[in-house]
Amino acid sequence: MLPRRRIFRPAPSPRAWRGPLLLLGLAAGAATLVGLGGPTQLFGNSPREQEWAAAPADVRVVDGDTLRLSDRIVRLRGLEAPARGQACRDAAGREFDCGAGSAEALSRLLGGRGVSCRVRGRDRFGRGLGQCSTLGGTDAAGVELNGALVSAGWALAEDEGLAGMEGAARASGRGLWATGVRPPEGWSASR
């Protein structure tokens, strides 16, 4: 008896098709995302500027220069406020928490209103850096928080645009520049 001969070829191994099929699937998935209006910034390109807003119930003062807008944290751009727990001295020589004073001043400026911020960039902690204003209330235009906090004397200007406001606050003796108050250590009175 003669040995049987095979007259067909065996099917190709499924492993040989794994690479091309995977690439085909990824290409189809990417095309579907783009075609259905998926994210257009897939490779880390984010918009240079973003608008963040929050209703009054979603706004929290974290620090003298930091706000929580719902689930986002924004640091006011162009200024530096003392951190909570930073000690200042009043005219009588008593210590007080000037960071808490700065946070209270920001809270008064908010006045229970919502906030809108134009966010551009991030700080070293990943917080959005924003130019923020209040929304609604009796003044339709709202209060520009960055300038108002520096102008009230509760923050230092890091931006040239706010330097004049800091100078006016010092000259008028507002906030941390009130007569007899010594700002926190590390803050230069000649700045």
Side-chain angles (χ1 to χ4, degrees), residues 7-51:
I7 56 171
F8 63 91
R9 288 189 174 164
S13 167
R15 290 182 187 180
W17 288 94
R18 207 174 270 167
L21 286 178
L22 180 63
L23 290 176
L24 182 63
L26 288 174
T32 302
L33 277 177
V34 172
L36 295 176
T40 58
Q41 308 293 337
L42 290 175
F43 299 107
N45 296 332
S46 62
R48 295 196 187 285
E49 240 177 52
Q50 297 176 347
E51 287 290 330

Side-chain angles (χ1 to χ4, degrees), residues 6-154:
R6 286 193 164 165
I7 56 171
F8 63 91
R9 288 189 174 164
S13 167
R15 290 182 187 180
W17 288 94
R18 207 174 270 167
L21 286 178
L22 180 63
L23 290 176
L24 182 63
L26 288 174
T32 302
L33 277 177
V34 172
L36 295 176
T40 58
Q41 308 293 337
L42 290 175
F43 299 107
N45 296 332
S46 62
R48 295 196 187 285
E49 240 177 52
Q50 297 176 347
E51 287 290 330
W52 293 358
D58 295 328
V59 178
R60 300 284 182 264
V61 174
V62 176
D63 219 339
D65 58 5
T66 309
L67 295 171
R68 177 180 285 278
L69 307 179
S70 191
D71 62 343
R72 298 174 167 170
I73 296 180
V74 62
R75 181 177 178 272
L76 299 178
R77 176 185 284 283
L79 59 94
E80 179 189 351
R84 289 185 189 265
Q86 243 179 328
C88 293
R89 294 197 182 275
D90 64 12
R94 295 180 301 247
E95 277 193 7
F96 70 97
D97 184 351
C98 50
S102 182
E104 288 172 23
L106 181 56
S107 186
R108 282 192 304 273
L109 289 170
L110 285 170
R113 293 174 283 190
V115 174
S116 173
C117 297
R118 177 158 292 186
V119 176
R120 197 172 63 228
R122 304 256 178 215
D123 69 1
R124 62 188 174 124
F125 300 111
R127 300 175 293 194
L129 291 170
Q131 189 75 27
C132 300
S133 299
T134 59
L135 298 172
T138 56
D139 49 350
V143 175
E144 194 274 313
L145 297 172
N146 302 50
L149 194 62
V150 171
S151 188
W154 288 101

Side-chain angles (χ1 to χ4, degrees), residues 1-7:
M1 181 166 223
L2 294 172
R4 286 191 151 172
R5 279 182 53 188
R6 286 193 164 165
I7 56 171

